[in-house]
Amino acid sequence: MKARKMLTMGAVVGGVVAGSYLATLTGPALFSMRSAVAANDKTTPAISPAKTAPLANLSTAFKAVHHAIENVVVNIHTVQTINPATSGNPLLNIPLPFRNMLPPGQMTPLQPQNAPLEKLEGTGSGVIITSNGYIVTNNHVVQGAQSITVRLRNHHSYVAKVVGTDPKTDLAVIKINANHLTHAIFGNSRKMHVGDWVLAFGSPFGFSQTMTQGIISAKGRDLNIITEHNPKLAGLTYEHFLQTDAAINPGNSGGPLVNLKGHVIGIDSAIASSSGGFNGLGFAIPSHEVEYIMHQLIKHGKVVRGYLGVGIASVRQGVEHRVAESMGYKSRHGVLVTQVLPNSPAVRGGLHRGDIITALNGRKVVSMNSMRDDVAMMRPGTQVRLQIFRKGHMVNVSFPLGTQPNFNPVAMAGPSPMAPMQPHTLKSNQLGVTVRDMTPALAQKYGLRNGGVQVIAVNPNGLAASAGIAPGDAILSVQGQAVNSVAQFNKDVHGQSLAKGFRMSLRGPGGSEAYVFVQNSAQ
């Protein structure tokens, strides 16, 4: 409200000054000025329409998009009643990048601090997606709201109810009791490229029906902001955003990002900002993901996803590429299977840790994100065909997908406490790591049937530390050779070339598995 009052005051003062100035330009004074202009005969030079035509055409395009989309953009107002003595500040339950999307005063108490209950107001944006009143927005816009009011461009207001939410993507669908509404057309976000023009619509700082322009400045941004808010969703979220420099500010949350065809290619969701305002980086959920989620929410009230039960990593570059090369795989497409979860569809389908998935249902796997999205958008029970690279050969496997759980089975395992020191230990100065044999009890805590050695100390300046090995990790294999004792580990490590480098597989204390590549680049 303060921002609006300042704008109003500025307009009033500006009007007074302008009026006073014009009042002096009457009679002889105004005539003298006109005479001087005529005598000097100098004005700003004429600009050829041909020189400004490209920009004028672009402006015409922007206006056409605004005209096409303005009636599908809505303002969402929420109210939440809390007990301040027990609820604390609900803002703390929203990830900071999402919290930055809330306009100033969104969570302003409407009652005195000593009142038994407090009403907290919120505001955001949404997009009408059907003629009978379904609206898509962000989950964090309606999260925890006891009442939701939707205001259309014609200023008509409706009470809305939540149809379904999907915290894994920060999307939600709400419904108003209205018919014959103009609704949005979705475009294909996969076909958008860096440099394409886009327009962002919404209610930044509460100013409804605002349009800003910019370009797609990056694709596939992994922000991990949902996981930071809810660690139980680690490994299960979908946060591959479109990045834009179209101004997205607090209050834009849930509004559409639109291409020059007037098609929605994303839902505005977050900003990267140290101040809470626009710094040139806005993020939107891609439309190909939004369409799948919203149809699931409308039909089922929740999202049911396909599930393989594997941990994967792209082999395009970095450590994973060097690990893949050490297995004899030279290409840069595909994903490395870093972990196969117990009792998962992948186990029943015959996948192994160390497999490299190169194709899914006959289509080349180009990245980890694209494969996760493709699998998640398949119905449980769907038969999938995987082409995998295993021990120098291509192998085909086929099996039905399972249903993705609402938690990460690895994360739920929890950390394993360090066992007491055992006598069978080994310090490798070459690697900068100290390991010990697994006892049966310790192996059980790691979920290991046999084998492996536990890392009990790491030299922070050593090769192991630079490769990402940490105390508490269990080393399962060296260059594909299973480790079953410190003696075997010592033998396997000394049989490798540090100059060439070699891979090791690890299992963390929480149950997650990964590959690391150890190399002494100085040699």
Side-chain angles (χ1 to χ4, degrees):
M1 290 298 295
K2 290 184 178 179
R4 294 190 180 185
K5 288 181 180 179
M6 290 176 64
L7 287 173
T8 303
M9 290 175 63
V12 171
V13 172
V16 172
V17 173
S20 299
Y21 177 68
L22 290 174
T24 64
L25 300 182
T26 56
L30 181 59
F31 177 81
S32 299
M33 177 172 286
R34 288 176 175 170
S35 299
V37 170
N40 293 332
D41 198 24
K42 289 182 179 180
T43 62
T44 55
I47 300 174
S48 168
K51 294 182 178 179
T52 60
L55 292 179
N57 290 338
L58 183 61
S59 179
T60 300
F62 288 164
K63 288 184 282 188
V65 173
H66 179 269
H67 177 73
I69 205 76
E70 59 183 348
N71 289 318
V72 307
V73 183
V74 303
N75 175 266
I76 298 174
H77 178 265
T78 63
V79 176
Q80 181 178 2
T81 303
I82 67 164
N83 184 336
T86 59
S87 301
N89 187 349
L91 273 176
L92 299 178
N93 295 323
I94 300 176
L96 184 58
F98 290 154
R99 204 181 311 163
N100 287 338
M101 292 292 287
L102 305 176
Q106 165 161 2
M107 292 298 184
T108 302
L110 300 182
Q111 295 183 10
Q113 292 293 327
N114 59 354
L117 295 177
E118 287 184 357
K119 285 187 177 179
L120 305 178
E121 282 190 313
T123 187
S125 306
V127 186
I128 301 173
I129 54 176
T130 68
S131 61
N132 60 339
Y134 284 97
I135 295 167
V136 68
T137 184
N138 285 144
N139 176 57
H140 75 264
V141 170
V142 298
Q143 178 179 318
Q146 271 106 31
S147 69
I148 303 171
T149 304
V150 170
R151 188 179 67 208
L152 308 187
R153 180 178 175 272
N154 60 12
H155 302 296
H156 291 175
S157 293
Y158 299 85
V159 174
K161 65 177 183 178
V162 175
V163 175
T165 64
D166 183 47
K168 295 177 182 178
T169 55
D170 189 40
L171 286 171
V173 171
I174 60 177
K175 176 76 166 61
I176 61 175
N177 187 19
N179 290 292
H180 309 298
L181 299 175
T182 303
H183 61 91
I185 298 175
F186 281 85
N188 190 343
S189 54
R190 296 184 189 274
K191 293 185 178 180
M192 296 299 293
H193 302 285
V194 173
D196 285 342
W197 284 103
V198 288
L199 302 168
F201 292 80
S203 305
F205 301 108
F207 292 100
S208 61
Q209 295 296 321
T210 295
M211 179 181 81
T212 57
Q213 59 81 21
I215 61 170
I216 296 292
S217 54
K219 296 179 66 177
R221 290 296 195 204
D222 296 321
L223 303 186
N224 294 321
I225 50 181
I226 300 175
T227 299
E228 289 178 9
H229 168 53
N230 189 349
K232 290 183 179 180
L233 295 178
L236 299 176
T237 60
Y238 298 84
E239 306 180 60
H240 319 305
F241 294 89
L242 295 173
Q243 178 182 301
T244 179
D245 67 347
I248 294 176
N249 277 296
N252 270 113
S253 282
L257 190 67
V258 182
N259 63 18
L260 291 187
K261 295 180 180 179
H263 297 167
V264 176
I265 52 89
I267 296 297
D268 303 329
S269 186
I271 56 177
S273 174
S274 58
S275 63
F278 175 68
N279 279 1
L281 292 176
F283 301 95
I285 304 167
S287 60
H288 74 268
E289 188 173 296
V290 175
E291 282 195 279
Y292 176 78
I293 300 300
M294 72 185 196
H295 288 310
Q296 288 269 305
L297 292 177
I298 292 173
K299 186 175 181 179
H300 304 292
K302 62 180 181 179
V303 179
V304 180
R305 294 180 169 90
Y307 177 64
L308 280 177
V310 295
I312 57 176
S314 294
V315 299
R316 184 176 299 174
Q317 58 190 4
V319 172
E320 288 77 15
H321 181 66
R322 286 182 288 172
V323 168
E325 281 188 319
S326 74
M327 296 175 173
Y329 186 74
K330 304 301 182 184
S331 179
R332 289 184 179 270
H333 78 272
V335 294
L336 173 67
V337 177
T338 60
Q339 184 169 15
V340 179
L341 297 178
N343 303 315
S344 66
V347 166
R348 295 187 289 272
L351 281 182
H352 301 159
R353 183 165 48 87
D355 287 344
I356 298 174
I357 303 173
T358 62
L360 169 65
N361 290 339
R363 292 189 301 172
K364 181 186 293 185
V365 173
V366 296
S367 70
M368 177 182 69
N369 292 343
S370 65
M371 179 172 169
R372 289 183 70 242
D373 287 352
D374 289 342
V375 170
M377 293 184 189
M378 296 181 191
R379 293 183 63 83
T382 301
Q383 196 79 8
V384 292
R385 294 177 290 109
L386 301 179
Q387 182 184 67
I388 60 177
F389 179 86
R390 177 187 294 166
K391 297 181 179 179
H393 303 282
M394 287 294 182
V395 180
N396 294 312
V397 298
S398 179
F399 56 91
L401 293 176
T403 302
Q404 187 184 97
N406 292 323
F407 59 89
N408 188 331
V410 174
M412 292 299 290
S416 299
M418 297 287 283
M421 285 292 292
Q422 301 297 320
H424 301 292
T425 63
L426 170 73
K427 182 177 182 181
S428 171
N429 292 324
Q430 186 181 29
L431 296 181
V433 66
T434 302
V435 298
R436 67 177 172 199
D437 281 329
M438 286 281 184
T439 63
L442 191 57
Q444 185 178 9
K445 290 177 180 177
Y446 278 87
L448 301 173
R449 293 183 179 179
N450 50 56
V453 296
Q454 187 191 41
V455 177
I456 57 176
V458 176
N459 179 350
N461 299 315
L463 295 178
S466 64
I469 300 173
D473 286 340
I475 299 176
L476 307 181
S477 69
V478 174
Q479 197 65 7
Q481 179 66 43
V483 171
N484 53 32
S485 67
V486 294
Q488 180 70 43
F489 173 77
N490 188 45
K491 178 181 176 181
D492 292 342
V493 167
H494 282 85
Q496 307 301 323
S497 167
L498 280 175
K500 184 179 179 181
F502 59 93
R503 70 181 182 276
M504 292 196 292
S505 63
L506 311 176
R507 178 172 292 183
S512 61
E513 294 183 4
Y515 283 94
V516 297
F517 196 81
V518 181
Q519 186 176 26
N520 188 351
S521 56
Q523 290 188 1

Short mmCIF file of all heavy atoms in Angstrom, two decimals, residues 167-217:
data_model
loop_
_atom_site.label_atom_id
_atom_site.label_comp_id
_atom_site.label_asym_id
_atom_site.label_seq_id
_atom_site.Cartn_x
_atom_site.Cartn_y
_atom_site.Cartn_z
N PRO A 167 3.03 -30.77 -4.99
CA PRO A 167 4.21 -30.12 -4.43
C PRO A 167 5.50 -30.43 -5.18
O PRO A 167 6.45 -29.65 -5.12
CB PRO A 167 4.26 -30.67 -2.99
CG PRO A 167 2.86 -31.10 -2.70
CD PRO A 167 2.32 -31.59 -4.00
N LYS A 168 5.56 -31.57 -5.89
CA LYS A 168 6.80 -31.96 -6.57
C LYS A 168 7.13 -31.04 -7.73
O LYS A 168 8.28 -30.99 -8.18
CB LYS A 168 6.69 -33.40 -7.07
CG LYS A 168 6.58 -34.43 -5.95
CD LYS A 168 6.40 -35.83 -6.50
CE LYS A 168 6.24 -36.85 -5.38
NZ LYS A 168 6.03 -38.22 -5.91
N THR A 169 6.12 -30.32 -8.25
CA THR A 169 6.36 -29.35 -9.32
C THR A 169 5.95 -27.93 -8.94
O THR A 169 6.12 -27.01 -9.73
CB THR A 169 5.58 -29.74 -10.59
OG1 THR A 169 4.19 -29.88 -10.27
CG2 THR A 169 6.10 -31.05 -11.18
N ASP A 170 5.38 -27.77 -7.74
CA ASP A 170 4.85 -26.48 -7.29
C ASP A 170 3.70 -26.01 -8.18
O ASP A 170 3.58 -24.83 -8.50
CB ASP A 170 5.93 -25.40 -7.22
CG ASP A 170 5.43 -24.13 -6.54
OD1 ASP A 170 4.70 -24.25 -5.54
OD2 ASP A 170 5.75 -23.02 -7.02
N LEU A 171 2.83 -26.94 -8.57
CA LEU A 171 1.66 -26.59 -9.36
C LEU A 171 0.38 -26.92 -8.59
O LEU A 171 0.37 -27.82 -7.75
CB LEU A 171 1.66 -27.33 -10.69
CG LEU A 171 2.66 -26.84 -11.74
CD1 LEU A 171 2.71 -27.80 -12.92
CD2 LEU A 171 2.31 -25.43 -12.22
N ALA A 172 -0.68 -26.19 -8.90
CA ALA A 172 -1.99 -26.44 -8.29
C ALA A 172 -3.07 -26.08 -9.29
O ALA A 172 -2.87 -25.23 -10.18
CB ALA A 172 -2.16 -25.63 -7.01
N VAL A 173 -4.23 -26.74 -9.16
CA VAL A 173 -5.41 -26.40 -9.96
C VAL A 173 -6.52 -26.02 -9.00
O VAL A 173 -6.78 -26.75 -8.02
CB VAL A 173 -5.85 -27.56 -10.86
CG1 VAL A 173 -7.20 -27.26 -11.50
CG2 VAL A 173 -4.81 -27.82 -11.94
N ILE A 174 -7.16 -24.88 -9.26
CA ILE A 174 -8.31 -24.45 -8.48
C ILE A 174 -9.50 -24.29 -9.41
O ILE A 174 -9.35 -24.29 -10.64
CB ILE A 174 -8.03 -23.13 -7.72
CG1 ILE A 174 -7.69 -22.00 -8.70
CG2 ILE A 174 -6.89 -23.32 -6.73
CD1 ILE A 174 -7.47 -20.65 -8.03
N LYS A 175 -10.72 -24.16 -8.84
CA LYS A 175 -11.93 -24.12 -9.67
C LYS A 175 -12.86 -23.03 -9.17
O LYS A 175 -13.06 -22.87 -7.96
CB LYS A 175 -12.63 -25.48 -9.58
CG LYS A 175 -13.98 -25.59 -10.29
CD LYS A 175 -13.81 -25.71 -11.77
CE LYS A 175 -15.11 -26.17 -12.48
NZ LYS A 175 -16.24 -25.26 -12.30
N ILE A 176 -13.44 -22.27 -10.12
CA ILE A 176 -14.48 -21.30 -9.79
C ILE A 176 -15.77 -21.73 -10.49
O ILE A 176 -15.75 -22.44 -11.50
CB ILE A 176 -14.11 -19.87 -10.21
CG1 ILE A 176 -13.87 -19.78 -11.73
CG2 ILE A 176 -12.87 -19.40 -9.45
CD1 ILE A 176 -13.62 -18.36 -12.23
N ASN A 177 -16.90 -21.30 -9.97
CA ASN A 177 -18.21 -21.66 -10.53
C ASN A 177 -18.59 -20.65 -11.60
O ASN A 177 -19.31 -19.68 -11.37
CB ASN A 177 -19.26 -21.70 -9.42
CG ASN A 177 -20.59 -22.24 -9.91
OD1 ASN A 177 -20.65 -22.90 -10.95
ND2 ASN A 177 -21.67 -21.95 -9.18
N ALA A 178 -18.06 -20.87 -12.79
CA ALA A 178 -18.33 -19.97 -13.92
C ALA A 178 -18.27 -20.78 -15.21
O ALA A 178 -17.62 -21.83 -15.27
CB ALA A 178 -17.32 -18.83 -13.95
N ASN A 179 -18.91 -20.28 -16.24
CA ASN A 179 -18.95 -20.96 -17.53
C ASN A 179 -18.71 -19.98 -18.66
O ASN A 179 -18.77 -18.75 -18.48
CB ASN A 179 -20.29 -21.67 -17.74
CG ASN A 179 -20.47 -22.87 -16.82
OD1 ASN A 179 -19.77 -23.88 -16.96
ND2 ASN A 179 -21.39 -22.76 -15.86
N HIS A 180 -18.43 -20.54 -19.84
CA HIS A 180 -18.23 -19.76 -21.06
C HIS A 180 -17.07 -18.76 -20.91
O HIS A 180 -17.12 -17.64 -21.44
CB HIS A 180 -19.51 -19.03 -21.47
CG HIS A 180 -20.72 -19.91 -21.53
ND1 HIS A 180 -20.82 -20.98 -22.41
CD2 HIS A 180 -21.86 -19.93 -20.77
CE1 HIS A 180 -21.98 -21.59 -22.22
NE2 HIS A 180 -22.63 -20.99 -21.23
N LEU A 181 -16.05 -19.18 -20.19
CA LEU A 181 -14.88 -18.31 -20.00
C LEU A 181 -13.89 -18.49 -21.14
O LEU A 181 -13.78 -19.58 -21.73
CB LEU A 181 -14.18 -18.66 -18.68
CG LEU A 181 -14.99 -18.50 -17.39
CD1 LEU A 181 -14.18 -19.01 -16.21
CD2 LEU A 181 -15.37 -17.04 -17.19
N THR A 182 -13.19 -17.44 -21.45
CA THR A 182 -12.06 -17.55 -22.38
C THR A 182 -10.95 -18.31 -21.67
O THR A 182 -10.64 -18.01 -20.50
CB THR A 182 -11.55 -16.16 -22.79
OG1 THR A 182 -12.63 -15.42 -23.37
CG2 THR A 182 -10.41 -16.27 -23.77
N HIS A 183 -10.37 -19.29 -22.34
CA HIS A 183 -9.31 -20.07 -21.69
C HIS A 183 -8.06 -20.10 -22.56
O HIS A 183 -8.10 -19.87 -23.78
CB HIS A 183 -9.79 -21.49 -21.36
CG HIS A 183 -10.20 -22.29 -22.56
ND1 HIS A 183 -9.34 -23.10 -23.24
CD2 HIS A 183 -11.41 -22.40 -23.18
CE1 HIS A 183 -9.97 -23.69 -24.24
NE2 HIS A 183 -11.23 -23.27 -24.22
N ALA A 184 -6.95 -20.41 -21.94
CA ALA A 184 -5.64 -20.33 -22.59
C ALA A 184 -5.41 -21.50 -23.54
O ALA A 184 -5.97 -22.58 -23.39
CB ALA A 184 -4.54 -20.30 -21.53
N ILE A 185 -4.54 -21.27 -24.52
CA ILE A 185 -4.00 -22.30 -25.39
C ILE A 185 -2.56 -22.53 -24.98
O ILE A 185 -1.79 -21.57 -24.80
CB ILE A 185 -4.07 -21.89 -26.87
CG1 ILE A 185 -5.52 -21.69 -27.30
CG2 ILE A 185 -3.37 -22.92 -27.76
CD1 ILE A 185 -5.65 -21.15 -28.72
N PHE A 186 -2.16 -23.79 -24.83
CA PHE A 186 -0.80 -24.09 -24.44
C PHE A 186 0.07 -24.34 -25.66
O PHE A 186 -0.34 -25.01 -26.62
CB PHE A 186 -0.76 -25.32 -23.52
CG PHE A 186 -1.13 -25.01 -22.10
CD1 PHE A 186 -2.46 -25.00 -21.71
CD2 PHE A 186 -0.15 -24.71 -21.17
CE1 PHE A 186 -2.81 -24.69 -20.41
CE2 PHE A 186 -0.50 -24.39 -19.86
CZ PHE A 186 -1.83 -24.39 -19.48
N GLY A 187 1.27 -23.78 -25.62
CA GLY A 187 2.27 -24.04 -26.64
C GLY A 187 3.23 -25.12 -26.19
O GLY A 187 3.13 -25.64 -25.07
N ASN A 188 4.16 -25.48 -27.04
CA ASN A 188 5.14 -26.54 -26.75
C ASN A 188 6.43 -25.91 -26.24
O ASN A 188 7.21 -25.35 -27.01
CB ASN A 188 5.40 -27.38 -28.00
CG ASN A 188 6.22 -28.62 -27.70
OD1 ASN A 188 6.86 -28.73 -26.65
ND2 ASN A 188 6.22 -29.56 -28.62
N SER A 189 6.67 -26.02 -24.94
CA SER A 189 7.87 -25.43 -24.35
C SER A 189 9.14 -26.11 -24.86
O SER A 189 10.21 -25.51 -24.84
CB SER A 189 7.81 -25.52 -22.83
OG SER A 189 7.59 -26.85 -22.40
N ARG A 190 9.03 -27.36 -25.32
CA ARG A 190 10.21 -28.06 -25.84
C ARG A 190 10.74 -27.39 -27.10
O ARG A 190 11.92 -27.52 -27.44
CB ARG A 190 9.87 -29.52 -26.13
CG ARG A 190 9.50 -30.36 -24.90
CD ARG A 190 9.28 -31.81 -25.32
NE ARG A 190 8.72 -32.63 -24.27
CZ ARG A 190 9.43 -33.26 -23.33
NH1 ARG A 190 10.75 -33.13 -23.32
NH2 ARG A 190 8.84 -34.01 -22.42
N LYS A 191 9.85 -26.70 -27.81
CA LYS A 191 10.26 -26.06 -29.07
C LYS A 191 10.73 -24.62 -28.87
O LYS A 191 11.08 -23.95 -29.84
CB LYS A 191 9.10 -26.10 -30.06
CG LYS A 191 8.76 -27.51 -30.53
CD LYS A 191 7.70 -27.49 -31.60
CE LYS A 191 7.40 -28.91 -32.10
NZ LYS A 191 6.36 -28.92 -33.16
N MET A 192 10.71 -24.14 -27.63
CA MET A 192 11.22 -22.80 -27.36
C MET A 192 12.75 -22.84 -27.30
O MET A 192 13.33 -23.82 -26.83
CB MET A 192 10.66 -22.27 -26.03
CG MET A 192 9.16 -22.08 -26.02
SD MET A 192 8.56 -20.88 -27.26
CE MET A 192 9.27 -19.35 -26.60
N HIS A 193 13.37 -21.79 -27.77
CA HIS A 193 14.83 -21.72 -27.80
C HIS A 193 15.32 -20.47 -27.09
O HIS A 193 14.58 -19.48 -26.97
CB HIS A 193 15.33 -21.72 -29.25
CG HIS A 193 14.90 -22.92 -30.04
ND1 HIS A 193 15.46 -24.16 -29.87
CD2 HIS A 193 13.93 -23.07 -30.99
CE1 HIS A 193 14.88 -25.03 -30.69
NE2 HIS A 193 13.95 -24.39 -31.37
N VAL A 194 16.55 -20.52 -26.63
CA VAL A 194 17.17 -19.34 -26.03
C VAL A 194 17.20 -18.23 -27.08
O VAL A 194 17.65 -18.43 -28.21
CB VAL A 194 18.59 -19.66 -25.54
CG1 VAL A 194 19.29 -18.39 -25.06
CG2 VAL A 194 18.55 -20.69 -24.42
N GLY A 195 16.69 -17.07 -26.72
CA GLY A 195 16.60 -15.95 -27.64
C GLY A 195 15.19 -15.69 -28.13
O GLY A 195 14.91 -14.61 -28.68
N ASP A 196 14.26 -16.64 -27.95
CA ASP A 196 12.87 -16.43 -28.36
C ASP A 196 12.20 -15.38 -27.47
O ASP A 196 12.39 -15.37 -26.24
CB ASP A 196 12.07 -17.74 -28.27
CG ASP A 196 12.39 -18.70 -29.39
OD1 ASP A 196 12.95 -18.25 -30.42
OD2 ASP A 196 12.07 -19.89 -29.25
N TRP A 197 11.39 -14.52 -28.08
CA TRP A 197 10.65 -13.52 -27.33
C TRP A 197 9.56 -14.18 -26.48
O TRP A 197 8.90 -15.12 -26.93
CB TRP A 197 9.97 -12.52 -28.27
CG TRP A 197 10.90 -11.50 -28.86
CD1 TRP A 197 11.39 -11.48 -30.13
CD2 TRP A 197 11.42 -10.33 -28.22
NE1 TRP A 197 12.20 -10.37 -30.31
CE2 TRP A 197 12.23 -9.66 -29.16
CE3 TRP A 197 11.28 -9.81 -26.94
CZ2 TRP A 197 12.90 -8.48 -28.85
CZ3 TRP A 197 11.95 -8.63 -26.63
CH2 TRP A 197 12.76 -7.98 -27.58
N VAL A 198 9.38 -13.68 -25.27
CA VAL A 198 8.30 -14.14 -24.39
C VAL A 198 7.73 -12.94 -23.63
O VAL A 198 8.40 -11.91 -23.45
CB VAL A 198 8.77 -15.20 -23.37
CG1 VAL A 198 9.04 -16.52 -24.06
CG2 VAL A 198 10.00 -14.73 -22.61
N LEU A 199 6.48 -13.08 -23.18
CA LEU A 199 5.80 -12.06 -22.40
C LEU A 199 5.28 -12.69 -21.12
O LEU A 199 4.72 -13.79 -21.15
CB LEU A 199 4.64 -11.45 -23.19
CG LEU A 199 5.02 -10.82 -24.54
CD1 LEU A 199 3.78 -10.53 -25.36
CD2 LEU A 199 5.82 -9.55 -24.32
N ALA A 200 5.50 -12.02 -20.00
CA ALA A 200 5.04 -12.51 -18.70
C ALA A 200 3.84 -11.69 -18.24
O ALA A 200 3.86 -10.45 -18.30
CB ALA A 200 6.17 -12.42 -17.67
N PHE A 201 2.80 -12.40 -17.77
CA PHE A 201 1.57 -11.74 -17.31
C PHE A 201 1.33 -12.09 -15.85
O PHE A 201 1.69 -13.17 -15.39
CB PHE A 201 0.37 -12.20 -18.14
CG PHE A 201 0.38 -11.73 -19.56
CD1 PHE A 201 1.15 -12.37 -20.51
CD2 PHE A 201 -0.39 -10.65 -19.95
CE1 PHE A 201 1.16 -11.94 -21.83
CE2 PHE A 201 -0.39 -10.21 -21.27
CZ PHE A 201 0.39 -10.86 -22.21
N GLY A 202 0.68 -11.19 -15.13
CA GLY A 202 0.34 -11.47 -13.74
C GLY A 202 0.04 -10.23 -12.95
O GLY A 202 -0.31 -9.18 -13.51
N SER A 203 0.22 -10.36 -11.63
CA SER A 203 -0.11 -9.26 -10.71
C SER A 203 1.10 -8.90 -9.86
O SER A 203 1.07 -9.04 -8.63
CB SER A 203 -1.28 -9.67 -9.81
OG SER A 203 -2.39 -10.07 -10.56
N PRO A 204 2.19 -8.44 -10.45
CA PRO A 204 3.37 -8.09 -9.66
C PRO A 204 3.05 -6.97 -8.68
O PRO A 204 2.46 -5.96 -9.05
CB PRO A 204 4.40 -7.67 -10.70
CG PRO A 204 3.59 -7.23 -11.88
CD PRO A 204 2.38 -8.11 -11.87
N PHE A 205 3.44 -7.18 -7.42
CA PHE A 205 3.20 -6.20 -6.36
C PHE A 205 1.72 -5.84 -6.26
O PHE A 205 1.36 -4.75 -5.81
CB PHE A 205 4.03 -4.94 -6.58
CG PHE A 205 5.51 -5.19 -6.61
CD1 PHE A 205 6.22 -5.11 -7.79
CD2 PHE A 205 6.20 -5.54 -5.46
CE1 PHE A 205 7.57 -5.36 -7.83
CE2 PHE A 205 7.55 -5.80 -5.48
CZ PHE A 205 8.25 -5.71 -6.66
N GLY A 206 0.84 -6.76 -6.68
CA GLY A 206 -0.59 -6.52 -6.60
C GLY A 206 -1.17 -5.77 -7.77
O GLY A 206 -2.39 -5.57 -7.82
N PHE A 207 -0.34 -5.35 -8.73
CA PHE A 207 -0.84 -4.61 -9.89
C PHE A 207 -1.31 -5.62 -10.94
O PHE A 207 -0.51 -6.14 -11.72
CB PHE A 207 0.24 -3.69 -10.47
CG PHE A 207 0.60 -2.55 -9.57
CD1 PHE A 207 1.74 -2.61 -8.78
CD2 PHE A 207 -0.19 -1.42 -9.49
CE1 PHE A 207 2.09 -1.57 -7.95
CE2 PHE A 207 0.15 -0.36 -8.67
CZ PHE A 207 1.28 -0.44 -7.88
N SER A 208 -2.61 -5.92 -10.96
CA SER A 208 -3.14 -6.96 -11.83
C SER A 208 -3.04 -6.55 -13.29
O SER A 208 -2.92 -5.37 -13.64
CB SER A 208 -4.59 -7.27 -11.47
OG SER A 208 -5.39 -6.12 -11.64
N GLN A 209 -3.09 -7.57 -14.17
CA GLN A 209 -3.07 -7.39 -15.62
C GLN A 209 -1.83 -6.62 -16.10
O GLN A 209 -1.90 -5.74 -16.94
CB GLN A 209 -4.35 -6.67 -16.08
CG GLN A 209 -5.63 -7.46 -15.85
CD GLN A 209 -5.66 -8.76 -16.67
OE1 GLN A 209 -5.23 -8.78 -17.81
NE2 GLN A 209 -6.16 -9.83 -16.07
N THR A 210 -0.68 -7.00 -15.53
CA THR A 210 0.59 -6.40 -15.95
C THR A 210 1.28 -7.33 -16.95
O THR A 210 1.30 -8.54 -16.78
CB THR A 210 1.50 -6.18 -14.74
OG1 THR A 210 0.90 -5.21 -13.88
CG2 THR A 210 2.87 -5.67 -15.17
N MET A 211 1.84 -6.73 -18.00
CA MET A 211 2.59 -7.49 -19.00
C MET A 211 4.02 -6.95 -19.08
O MET A 211 4.23 -5.74 -19.11
CB MET A 211 1.93 -7.38 -20.38
CG MET A 211 2.68 -8.13 -21.49
SD MET A 211 1.91 -7.96 -23.13
CE MET A 211 2.53 -6.33 -23.64
N THR A 212 5.00 -7.87 -19.08
CA THR A 212 6.39 -7.49 -19.28
C THR A 212 6.96 -8.35 -20.39
O THR A 212 6.45 -9.43 -20.69
CB THR A 212 7.23 -7.68 -18.00
OG1 THR A 212 7.13 -9.05 -17.57
CG2 THR A 212 6.74 -6.76 -16.89
N GLN A 213 8.04 -7.89 -21.02
CA GLN A 213 8.60 -8.60 -22.16
C GLN A 213 10.07 -8.92 -21.96
O GLN A 213 10.78 -8.27 -21.21
CB GLN A 213 8.40 -7.79 -23.45
CG GLN A 213 9.03 -6.40 -23.44
CD GLN A 213 10.52 -6.38 -23.75
OE1 GLN A 213 11.05 -7.33 -24.34
NE2 GLN A 213 11.21 -5.33 -23.33
N GLY A 214 10.50 -9.97 -22.64
CA GLY A 214 11.91 -10.37 -22.58
C GLY A 214 12.13 -11.56 -23.50
O GLY A 214 11.37 -11.77 -24.46
N ILE A 215 13.15 -12.32 -23.22
CA ILE A 215 13.47 -13.50 -24.03
C ILE A 215 13.67 -14.71 -23.13
O ILE A 215 13.81 -14.57 -21.91
CB ILE A 215 14.74 -13.29 -24.88
CG1 ILE A 215 15.95 -13.03 -23.95
CG2 ILE A 215 14.57 -12.17 -25.89
CD1 ILE A 215 17.29 -13.06 -24.65
N ILE A 216 13.67 -15.89 -23.73
CA ILE A 216 14.13 -17.08 -23.02
C ILE A 216 15.64 -16.96 -22.91
O ILE A 216 16.33 -16.87 -23.93
CB ILE A 216 13.75 -18.37 -23.78
CG1 ILE A 216 12.24 -18.52 -23.85
CG2 ILE A 216 14.39 -19.59 -23.11
CD1 ILE A 216 11.57 -18.80 -22.53
N SER A 217 16.15 -16.93 -21.69
CA SER A 217 17.60 -16.73 -21.51
C SER A 217 18.33 -18.02 -21.16
O SER A 217 19.56 -18.06 -21.20
CB SER A 217 17.87 -15.67 -20.43
OG SER A 217 17.22 -15.98 -19.22
#
